[in-house]
Amino acid sequence: MFIHTRTRLFCELHRAERWLTHEDFLVKWLKGEKTKLEIIDVETREKVEAVWKTLDDEGNEIKDRVVFHLMPCASRTQYCTEVHVVVHPDPGRFGVVAEELGSLEFEVFSSWKDLAMKAWKQRLEALRECVNGDWVIEDRDLTHPALLRSRL
């Protein structure tokens, strides 16, 4: 049980990692939600593991596991990083393992999945806008001179 979404950033791996781990950068794209993200582990220029903390309807803390995977967009690009986000729901959210989900729990999971996907797409869009401005890097853009080893 997880969701997956991604974006491309106009920066090299190290700078992309800073956007995901440094306080000053996190505030720019997460804004008021920055306090919900707790960084757990960083594998330099590869992966950032975190916990996304929220409260359920009864006021209990829920901790969804968030993993940001960082990779170059293509072998020849240096200034384009693809960020893949995988979010696993807090196991306590559903009370059972995925294989044992009943119809009610499955509906709850489906609802979480839809809301989480929408929220993380919006967060990644905010990150992309902070780094790239209006530029949405498409596959056809990967040969653009700005993304290659030497900047224009």
Side-chain angles (χ1 to χ4, degrees), residues 65-80:
R65 188 167 64 94
V66 180
V67 182
F68 300 93
H69 296 276
L70 307 171
M71 60 192 70
C73 290
S75 61
R76 292 183 55 222
T77 62
Q78 181 174 346
Y79 297 102
C80 183

Side-chain angles (χ1 to χ4, degrees), residues 12-48:
E12 39 79 33
L13 286 170
H14 182 68
R15 186 150 179 91
E17 180 184 301
R18 288 179 50 203
W19 277 99
L20 300 172
T21 58
H22 288 258
E23 186 92 17
D24 295 341
F25 290 97
L26 288 167
V27 169
K28 290 180 181 181
W29 64 277
L30 287 176
K31 303 198 184 334
E33 291 187 310
K34 189 265 167 223
T35 58
K36 295 179 181 180
L37 188 71
E38 177 185 329
I39 306 299
I40 304 233
D41 187 38
V42 177
E43 291 181 27
T44 305
R45 292 185 301 273
E46 289 183 26
K47 178 168 69 169
V48 175

Side-chain angles (χ1 to χ4, degrees), residues 7 13 15-16 23 25 34 47-48 52 59 65 69 85 87-89 100 102 108 129 131 149:
T7 194
L13 286 170
R15 186 150 179 91
E23 186 92 17
F25 290 97
K34 189 265 167 223
K47 178 168 69 169
V48 175
W52 187 261
R65 188 167 64 94
H69 296 276
V85 179
V87 182
H88 300 270
E100 300 173 4
V108 172
E129 286 178 0
V131 178
R149 295 194 193 286

Side-chain angles (χ1 to χ4, degrees), residues 111-126:
S111 174
W112 170 84
K113 185 177 179 178
D114 294 342
L115 291 172
M117 182 62 86
K118 181 179 178 186
W120 280 101
K121 281 186 176 194
Q122 289 173 343
R123 290 178 191 122
L124 283 185
E125 180 64 14

